[in-house]
């Protein structure tokens, strides 16, 4: 008998935002049920950010050791993937076991129900578990945090081959000799460079004219140059017409060329987990490209949504930022409202590509009076001292009308850290005149921000 159980809040999907919200709501005294069909914690800790950044940390250590030859003397480097695989297995994912996440939530008072959650009208969720169905009626409402899964394009011959996505790539215990990477977005390029530094022969195939398409063109150009110098082949402006598999992969490209590799990594974006979620029962279009939310994360009657499905950037920090807003609203507090003008992100290639706010093109499309400033990292004091591995640029985008920055991109060693001050500038709309009168410690990478601001002319 599936008697409906009444609770305060049901959180469907426990990715970073759902996990955070469930814990905070339970700590505030609400009766919270968290529904999860996979691993509690979601993509980031088990298949995304954390394992991939451990791979990158190891790969960067190799690259830095190799650079020692020009700065300090020969270093013998013998890459050992087993160290990375072990660290991901034991430290990052606890053998892909989510019990530490579960314990934290249960200690806060959250009841976890394992299974697939499906909306059944406003405030109602039916969960299909291993032992049958359970229905919950959520008096305050339902929070959706169902996230994404790897999107696999309908390329002829691909289905049924043993290709990898990020889910397999983070679980490798041994590396292939060669790897074709389909997709030159953040996931594809991060993993491509990490594997290349461990000696895998890499070819990246990107259908757009450049890798890292949404970033400033200067960033794509620098990363492409670094990749080519590191021996990574980058093929852009062509899709894959056909995939053949027989002990190894052969990609037949639309422009007639072909790529042969032992393995294939598909990194062509993400698909929203909206199938079978019952969105139509609450008046939301299940075929939409995102779940529309207002600035309090409300998505409908007694319905909130956070994370990748909201279309504001597929990043852990966005999911958690939105969760905090949703929690305040669910608790009836007059909390903060969502604001994405100062949204920042980092692609952890080496050099890192970090950006905040608008690109130059986005600012022009928005009709602003745009002025840009640029400083090349190799010519900066710290970049010149750093030497090996100093590729990069800082680009700032100003609205000359208001005298503030509306966007910035940093391509540099530790670019994500350098971005911090520019994020503050964009978020708080600090006047360019004020920024110019800051002290920029010598000789830091962030000191190049001063040169980029100087290059803006009379803003
Ligand atoms: C390789 C890789 C590297 C990344 N690196 C970074 C990075 O460096 N920085 C960064 O900010 N972001 C990174 N991301 C993105 C980041 O992982 C996501 O943005 C983040 O996980 C937030 O997603 P989310 O909150 O929407 O939910 P997700 O993490 O996608 O979790 C959603 C959860 O909902 C569950 N679920 C789905 N449907 C149902 C249902 N009907 N019923 C019950 N449960 C359901 C799923 O099992 C899953 O556990 C990376 C992603 C990948 C793949």
């Amino acid at each position: 008998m599936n008697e409906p159980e009444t609770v305060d809040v049901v959180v469907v999907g426990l990715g970073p935002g759902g996990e955070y919200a469930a814990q905070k709501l339970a700590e505030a005294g609400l009766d919270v049920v968290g529904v999860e069909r996979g691993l509690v914690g979601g993509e980031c800790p088990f298949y995304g950010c954390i394992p991939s950044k451990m791979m990158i940390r190891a790969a960067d250590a190799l690259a830095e050791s190799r650079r020692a030859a020009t700065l300090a003397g020969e270093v013998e480097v013998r890459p050992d993937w087993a160290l990375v695989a072990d660290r991901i297995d034991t430290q990052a994912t606890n053998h892909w076991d989510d019990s530490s996440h579960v314990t934290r939530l249960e200690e806060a008072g959250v009841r976890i129900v394992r299974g697939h959650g499906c909306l059944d009208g406003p405030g109602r969720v039916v969960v299909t578990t291993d032992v049958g169905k359970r229905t919950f009626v959520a008096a305050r409402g339902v929070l959706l945090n169902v996230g994404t899964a790897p999107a696999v394009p309908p390329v002829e011959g691909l289905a049924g081959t043993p290709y990898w996505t990020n889910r397999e790539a983070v679980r490798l215990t041994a590396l292939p000799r060669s790897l074709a990477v389909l997709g030159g977005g953040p996931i594809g390029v991060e993993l491509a460079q990490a594997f290349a530094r461990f000696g895998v022969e890499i070819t990246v195939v990107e259908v757009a004219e450049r890798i890292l398409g949404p970033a400033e063109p200067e960033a794509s150009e620098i990363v492409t140059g670094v990749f080519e110098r590191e021996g990574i082949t980058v093929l852009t402006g062509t899709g894959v017409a056909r995939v053949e598999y027989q002990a190894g992969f052969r990609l037949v490209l639309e422009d007639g060329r072909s790529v042969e590799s032992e393995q294939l990594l598909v990194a062509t974006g993400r698909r929203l987990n909206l199938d079978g979620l019952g969105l139509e029962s609450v008046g939301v279009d299940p075929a939409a490209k995102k779940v529309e939310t207002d600035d309090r994360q409300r998505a409908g009657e007694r319905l909130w949504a956070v994370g990748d499905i909201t279309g504001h950037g597929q990043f852990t920090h966005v999911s958690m930022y939105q969760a905090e807003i949703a929690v305040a609203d669910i608790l009836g507090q007059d909390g903060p409202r969502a604001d994405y003008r100062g949204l920042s992100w980092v692609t952890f290639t080496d050099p890192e590509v970090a950006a905040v706010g608008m690109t130059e093109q986005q600012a022009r499309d928005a009709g602003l009076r745009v002025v840009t400033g640029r400083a090349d990292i190799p010519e900066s004091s710290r970049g010149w001292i750093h030497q090996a591995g100093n590729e990069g640029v800082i680009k700032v985008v100003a609205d000359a009308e208001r005298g503030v920055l509306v966007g910035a991109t940093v391509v540099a060693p530790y670019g994500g850290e350098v971005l911090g001050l520019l994020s503050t500038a964009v978020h708080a709309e600090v006047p360019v005149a004020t920024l110019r009168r800051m002290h920029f410690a010598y000789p830091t990478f962030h000191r190049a921000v001063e040169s980029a601001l100087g290059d803006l002319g009379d803003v």
Side-chain angles (χ1 to χ4, degrees), residues 105-141:
L105 286 180
E106 286 182 344
E107 280 175 0
V110 178
R111 278 186 289 149
I112 291 177
V113 176
R114 302 266 186 191
H116 176 93
C118 180
L119 291 159
D120 182 29
R124 279 175 76 93
V125 176
V126 177
V127 186
T128 306
T129 73
D130 283 349
V131 291
K133 289 190 191 296
R134 288 175 72 177
T135 300
F136 294 94
V137 175
R140 296 235 185 171

Side-chain angles (χ1 to χ4, degrees), residues 111-370:
R111 278 186 289 149
I112 291 177
V113 176
R114 302 266 186 191
H116 176 93
C118 180
L119 291 159
D120 182 29
R124 279 175 76 93
V125 176
V126 177
V127 186
T128 306
T129 73
D130 283 349
V131 291
K133 289 190 191 296
R134 288 175 72 177
T135 300
F136 294 94
V137 175
R140 296 235 185 171
V142 177
L143 173 67
L144 298 177
N145 177 228
V146 292
T148 60
V152 178
V155 175
E156 184 190 330
L158 178 60
T161 65
Y163 64 83
W164 297 337
T165 67
N166 64 296
R167 303 256 171 103
E168 290 75 28
V170 301
R171 297 189 80 131
L172 298 181
T173 51
L175 295 180
R177 186 183 41 74
S178 57
L179 178 73
V181 178
L182 192 50
I187 295 173
V189 296
E190 284 186 358
L191 297 179
Q193 190 181 40
F195 287 134
R197 289 176 164 189
F198 273 85
V200 181
E201 190 188 308
I202 301 279
T203 306
V204 177
V205 181
E206 167 57 52
V207 68
E209 288 306 320
R210 57 191 179 91
I211 57 171
L212 293 176
E216 290 281 12
E218 291 87 342
S220 307
E221 197 184 313
I222 290 169
V223 173
T224 303
V226 169
F227 273 24
E228 285 170 356
R229 284 192 290 284
E230 292 189 5
I232 298 171
T233 305
V234 180
L235 305 177
T236 56
T238 180
V240 177
R242 197 171 72 246
V243 172
E244 296 167 4
Y245 178 76
Q246 215 173 22
F249 284 87
R250 180 163 179 269
L251 310 188
V252 180
L253 306 185
E254 280 162 358
D255 66 4
R257 288 179 289 182
S258 65
V259 176
E260 295 194 8
S261 61
E262 186 181 329
Q263 253 305 339
L264 170 65
L265 172 65
V266 176
T268 45
R270 312 285 301 173
R271 176 174 57 75
L272 308 188
N273 287 328
L274 302 183
D275 295 346
L277 192 59
L279 285 174
E280 57 291 345
S281 74
V282 292
V284 177
D285 178 8
K289 291 203 176 352
K290 59 179 175 173
V291 175
E292 288 287 351
T293 48
D294 69 9
D295 58 4
R296 284 180 285 191
Q297 301 310 129
R298 294 179 184 181
E301 188 186 336
R302 282 190 287 151
L303 187 69
W304 288 260
V306 301
D308 291 2
I309 56 170
T310 64
H312 287 287
Q314 297 184 346
F315 305 110
T316 290
H317 48 276
V318 169
S319 186
M320 298 185 73
Y321 170 88
Q322 295 176 330
E324 196 164 342
I325 291 167
V327 165
D329 198 38
I330 292 168
L331 292 175
Q333 297 164 355
D334 188 18
R337 304 294 169 96
D339 173 1
Y340 300 99
R341 284 169 305 148
L343 175 65
S344 60
W345 52 264
V346 182
T347 297
F348 292 85
T349 43
D350 174 21
E352 291 179 358
V353 176
V356 58
M358 297 185 196
T359 60
E360 177 180 353
Q361 192 57 51
Q362 285 168 336
R364 292 195 188 287
D365 292 346
L368 303 182
R369 189 151 71 81
V370 174

Side-chain angles (χ1 to χ4, degrees), residues 400-424:
E401 205 70 47
R402 291 186 299 140
V404 295
L405 297 184
V406 292
T409 292
V410 179
V411 185
Y414 309 108
E417 311 308 319
V418 175
L419 186 75
L421 95 92
L422 290 162
S423 285
T424 308

Side-chain angles (χ1 to χ4, degrees), residues 4-71:
E5 301 166 54
T6 300
V7 299
D8 290 322
V9 178
V10 177
V11 180
V12 181
L14 294 167
E19 189 181 26
Y20 176 89
Q23 180 173 340
K24 293 291 166 196
L25 291 167
E27 284 170 352
L30 298 192
D31 183 7
V32 180
V33 162
V35 182
E36 175 55 58
R37 68 181 183 193
L39 292 171
V40 173
E43 199 77 2
C44 177
F46 295 104
Y47 302 106
C49 332
I50 297 180
S52 66
K53 263 80 264 178
M54 283 189 177
M55 290 160 68
I56 288 163
R57 166 76 180 118
D60 287 355
L62 291 176
E64 209 41 24
S65 311
R66 291 175 182 128
R67 287 173 186 145
T70 62
L71 297 165

